[in-house]
């Protein structure tokens, strides 16, 4: 299904995919695998930095229980492989399906580049420095025809990064309920092994993904590691030293986006910087103030900030526009896969890339997909529903289902009434055209009104059928729960674990096939 038919697709995202000429001043590379291949051939990365990052990757992935395929990927990286990267917040029990779709996109491209003679590995960046606890602390699972939300904490969150936050004791009952809904099997076993008291949101997610993606060669990275901040210290220093220059460039880029008719994903002000302080386990924005900075209510000189970055780089964090630049300072990134909102960030972040790295990484849309089970496929076929029909909400879907099961005599009568009306009005228009052409438009308006009233009669008949046939409402809710939950794409609501529990690791292979053509559209995958 083309992205143009998907609700809420932004103009910037659509033009990036289909009318690149309109956005080429904001992006350095077209979203095609050939552009990625050409860029990857030019990548030059310091071996000393590569070795330090590889040491961190090996330590982290061994700690999470990585198997030989992942360790082999890290060794290939150490020897010169480029990275195909995606990433996501450390959502409860692995997060929504699109976390897996991102990982699969990176896996597929790494294989493609390697087949083309460019050694490449897949990397998944854990967004542990994010502070939005409420956004990641819940998981929504289907329970029959309804959705059940499981929440890991009663807290509303704080300014602390979420990755290191410890899981509360209630995690045990949450996992138990999730495994009841999923049923026994390897996914439920992986949940119990990963989400336990003593783990953090970040470590539990990493342990789970290590198990779910075992054997694929996927490498995970947690940027909260002190050594990674130490490696990125020159980047943090440059962001502080050149704060005014970077802010001005971002303000100008924001104006250019507005003039072109697009939106800014991140609001930038004349006081903005690209850095957070993590001192005291709080994520505090660093603001420009004269020739120095403001850290909360505290004024701090530029010299003090630079000294703190030099001495304790682990106490500083990149904001959303510096984060991808930090990622590509640490990795020789051939491509980053993101969703529509993420790709919009890069239209702004491009100026930061240019000034701090002197290059801009290619970005591509991650695989976007809806998975349709045999049972759902049968329901769609029975009621002659298309996937697009689901976008109109539960009331409309219920009416559609009812209209498809009205008594044959009534359906035929409505159909004949419509055909007869159109036939007679067509003949009437021909006669009026000969008499007085100005009457034709009035006839067309009347025809639309009559057809509308006839459709209303059909809708009322459908609602009457719904009152008598409760199974129709249940079927409608079942389809919506699984394919368009909460009026959102399935990939944004239902979790990774729900699908892997049903289809096993073979699902990853099927998703890689869907990602391979890199078709700029939403894939409908029937299993």
């Amino acid at each position: 299904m083309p992205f143009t038919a998907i609700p809420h697709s932004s103009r910037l995202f659509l033009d990036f995919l289909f009318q690149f000429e309109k956005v080429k001043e904001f992006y350095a590379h077209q979203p095609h695998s050939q552009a990625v291949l050409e860029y990857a051939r030019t990548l030059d990365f310091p071996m000393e930095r590569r070795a330090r990052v590889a040491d961190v990757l090996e330590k982290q992935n061994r700690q999470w229980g990585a198997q030989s395929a992942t360790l082999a990927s890290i060794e290939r990286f150490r020897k010169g492989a480029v990275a195909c990267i995606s990433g996501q917040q450390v959502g409860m029990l692995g997060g929504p399906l699109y976390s897996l779709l991102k990982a699969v996109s990176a896996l597929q491209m790494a294989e493609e580049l390697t087949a083309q003679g460019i050694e490449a590995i897949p990397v998944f960046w854990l967004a542990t420095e994010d502070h939005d606890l409420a956004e990641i602390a819940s998981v929504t699972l289907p329970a029959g025809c309804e959705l059940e939300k499981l929440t890991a904490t009663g807290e509303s969150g704080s300014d602390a990064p979420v990755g290191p936050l410890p899981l509360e004791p209630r995690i045990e009952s949450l996992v138990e309920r999730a495994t009841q809904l999923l049923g026994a099997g390897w996914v439920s076993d992986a949940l119990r092994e990963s989400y336990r008291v003593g783990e953090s949101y970040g470590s539990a997610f990493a342990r789970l993904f290590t198990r779910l993606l075992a054997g694929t060669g996927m490498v995970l990275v947690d940027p909260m590691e002190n050594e990674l901040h130490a490696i990125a210290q020159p980047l943090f220093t440059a962001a502080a030293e050149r704060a005014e220059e970077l802010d001005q460039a971002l303000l100008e880029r924001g104006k250019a986006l507005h003039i072109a008719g697009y939106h800014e994903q991140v609001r930038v002000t004349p006081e903005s910087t690209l850095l957070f302080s993590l001192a005291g386990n709080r994520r505090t924005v660093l603001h420009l103030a004269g020739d120095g900075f403001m850290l909360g209510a505290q004024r701090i000189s530029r010299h003090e900030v630079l000294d703190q970055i030099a001495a304790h780089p682990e106490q500083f964090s990149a904001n959303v526009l510096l984060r991808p630049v930090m990622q590509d300072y640490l990795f020789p990134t051939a491509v980053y896969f993101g969703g529509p909102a993420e790709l919009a960030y890069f239209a702004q972040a491009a100026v930061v890339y240019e000034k701090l790295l002197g290059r801009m990484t290619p970005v591509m849309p991650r695989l976007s997909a809806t998975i349709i089970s045999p049972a759902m496929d049968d329901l769609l076929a029975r009621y002659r529903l298309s996937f697009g029909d689901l976008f109109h909400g539960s009331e409309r879907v219920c009416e559609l289902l009812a209209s498809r099961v009205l008594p044959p005599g009534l359906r035929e009568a409505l159909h004949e009434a419509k055909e007869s009306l159109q036939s007679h009005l067509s003949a009437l228009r021909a006669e009026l055209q000969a008499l007085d052409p100005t009457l034709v438009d009035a006839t067309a308006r009347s025809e639309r009104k009559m057809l509308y009233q006839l459709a209303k009669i059909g809708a009322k008949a459908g609602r009457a059928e719904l009152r008598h046939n409760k199974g129709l409402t249940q079927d409608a809710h079942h389809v919506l729960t699984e394919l368009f939950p909460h009026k959102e794409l399935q990939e944004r609501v239902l979790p990774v674990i729900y699908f892997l529990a049903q289809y096993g690791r073979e699902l990853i292979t099927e998703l890689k096939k869907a990602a391979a053509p890199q078709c700029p559209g939403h894939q409908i995958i029937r299993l």
Side-chain angles (χ1 to χ4, degrees):
M1 175 173 280
F3 281 124
T4 51
I6 298 296
H8 314 306
S9 294
S10 74
R11 184 181 159 208
L12 178 59
F13 177 63
L14 295 176
D15 284 352
F16 173 67
L17 294 180
F18 303 115
Q19 301 190 64
F20 188 78
E21 283 296 310
K22 291 185 175 182
V23 300
K24 65 181 181 180
E25 67 177 297
F26 308 124
Y27 297 93
H29 308 276
Q30 294 191 48
H32 301 303
S33 56
Q34 186 61 35
V36 174
L37 180 65
E38 292 171 2
Y39 177 79
R41 288 186 173 130
T42 70
L43 271 175
D44 186 25
F45 198 76
M47 290 302 293
E48 181 271 338
R49 192 186 308 165
R50 182 188 289 274
R52 291 176 69 186
V53 172
D55 287 343
V56 173
L57 296 177
E58 184 171 350
K59 182 186 80 170
Q60 288 187 338
N61 284 268
R62 283 188 183 277
Q63 177 183 326
W64 298 324
Q67 295 184 355
S68 58
T70 292
L71 299 177
S73 289
I74 295 171
E75 191 58 30
R76 290 170 58 214
F77 172 78
R78 193 185 295 275
K79 292 178 179 178
V82 300
C84 299
I85 302 184
S86 194
Q88 185 54 35
Q89 294 166 299
V90 287
M92 181 54 50
L93 306 191
L97 175 61
Y98 63 64
S99 295
L100 179 61
L101 301 182
K102 287 182 168 187
V104 164
S105 299
L107 283 167
Q108 190 278 329
M109 182 59 80
E111 290 181 6
E112 183 175 330
L113 289 180
T114 300
Q116 295 280 347
I118 297 174
E119 283 291 308
I121 67 163
V123 174
F124 196 88
W125 180 281
L126 307 175
T128 50
E129 294 183 328
D130 189 87
H131 69 285
D132 194 344
L133 179 61
E135 190 170 345
I136 64 137
S138 299
V139 62
T140 299
L141 279 162
C145 295
E146 303 297 330
L147 293 171
E148 186 170 336
K149 184 176 181 179
L150 309 177
T151 303
T153 180
E155 298 181 10
S156 58
S158 66
D159 293 325
V162 297
L165 293 178
L167 295 172
E168 297 176 19
R170 70 165 70 185
I171 193 62
E172 295 177 355
S173 59
L174 185 152
V175 168
E176 184 58 30
R177 178 55 180 157
T179 56
Q180 288 173 3
L181 293 171
L182 295 173
W186 70 284
V187 172
S188 291
D189 292 342
L191 287 177
R192 293 190 183 97
E193 293 167 5
S194 306
Y195 279 82
R196 304 173 296 189
V197 174
E199 298 291 344
S200 67
Y201 281 84
S203 68
F205 184 102
R207 288 183 182 279
L208 178 63
F209 254 51
T210 297
R211 286 155 178 76
L212 298 182
L213 297 172
T216 64
M218 177 62 75
V219 177
L220 307 182
V221 58
D222 181 351
M224 287 292 290
E225 177 73 38
N226 286 352
E227 176 61 15
L228 293 179
H229 281 243
I231 298 169
Q233 179 265 321
L235 189 72
F236 293 157
T237 296
E241 286 179 334
R242 302 170 64 182
E244 291 89 352
E245 176 190 352
L246 292 166
D247 187 46
Q248 185 58 38
L250 285 167
L251 289 170
E252 291 173 2
R253 173 52 56 92
K255 289 179 184 176
L257 283 165
H258 281 293
I259 290 171
Y262 304 119
H263 65 287
E264 290 176 281
Q265 198 72 12
V266 182
R267 182 173 176 269
V268 179
T269 72
E271 293 78 37
S272 295
T273 77
L274 300 171
L275 294 172
F276 290 99
S277 167
L278 297 177
N281 198 34
R282 290 174 57 86
R283 200 164 178 251
T284 308
V285 180
L286 194 68
H287 287 291
L288 282 166
D291 59 356
F293 299 95
M294 292 294 294
L295 189 57
Q298 176 188 4
R299 190 176 183 85
I300 184 169
S301 71
R302 189 176 304 262
H303 180 73
E304 289 176 285
V305 168
L306 293 174
D307 283 350
Q308 287 182 19
I309 292 174
H312 297 287
E314 73 281 359
Q315 293 185 4
F316 290 84
S317 171
N319 83 343
V320 68
L321 296 177
L322 184 61
R323 188 213 63 76
V325 182
M326 176 185 173
Q327 164 197 287
D328 298 344
Y329 182 85
L330 296 172
F331 289 92
T333 308
V335 61
Y336 181 83
F337 288 95
E342 284 179 285
L343 297 184
Y345 287 128
F346 280 85
Q348 291 177 268
V351 296
V352 184
Y353 269 96
E354 292 160 7
K355 290 187 176 296
L356 296 183
L357 289 190
R359 67 178 192 273
M360 171 73 184
T361 298
V363 292
M364 291 186 66
R366 60 159 172 83
L367 171 63
S368 179
T370 291
I371 296 171
I372 299 182
S373 68
M376 287 298 105
D377 209 18
D378 287 346
L379 277 177
L380 293 177
R382 185 193 311 167
Y383 295 112
R384 304 189 304 283
L385 283 177
S386 70
F387 181 61
D389 288 334
L390 307 184
F391 299 162
H392 302 294
S394 61
E395 184 176 342
R396 175 60 179 154
V397 171
C398 286
E399 289 181 359
L400 278 173
L401 265 62
S403 70
R404 307 284 161 79
V405 296
L406 286 173
L410 178 55
R411 279 208 313 274
E412 186 175 344
L414 286 168
H415 178 69
E416 288 180 354
K418 181 179 178 181
E419 284 197 332
S420 176
L421 177 62
Q422 289 176 317
S423 174
H424 283 87
L425 287 174
S426 177
L428 178 61
R429 275 197 304 274
E431 295 296 330
L432 289 172
Q433 179 71 37
L435 175 66
D436 184 351
T438 62
L439 297 175
V440 172
D441 286 344
T443 306
R445 288 194 297 272
S446 297
E447 180 179 359
R448 286 195 295 271
K449 290 178 182 178
M450 284 184 271
L451 288 172
Y452 172 74
Q453 292 299 327
L454 187 60
K456 278 184 68 175
I457 293 171
K460 288 180 178 180
R463 286 193 288 273
E465 181 67 26
L466 280 173
R467 288 193 294 271
H468 293 103
N469 189 343
K470 299 301 180 185
L472 288 175
T473 303
Q474 185 174 350
D475 284 346
H477 287 166
H478 197 184
V479 170
L480 289 167
T481 294
E482 181 127 346
L483 302 185
F484 200 60
H486 296 329
K487 299 182 181 179
E488 294 263 18
L489 290 176
Q490 177 195 78
E491 63 185 24
R492 303 193 62 82
V493 177
L494 301 189
V496 170
I497 53 173
Y498 176 67
F499 299 96
L500 286 174
Q502 291 184 77
Y503 302 110
R505 288 191 171 91
E506 294 79 8
L507 176 62
I508 295 173
T509 302
E510 292 299 318
L511 292 175
K512 280 166 62 180
K513 290 178 185 176
Q518 292 156 1
C519 172
H522 184 79
Q523 305 289 327
I524 307 299
I525 301 174
R526 289 176 166 83
L527 295 175

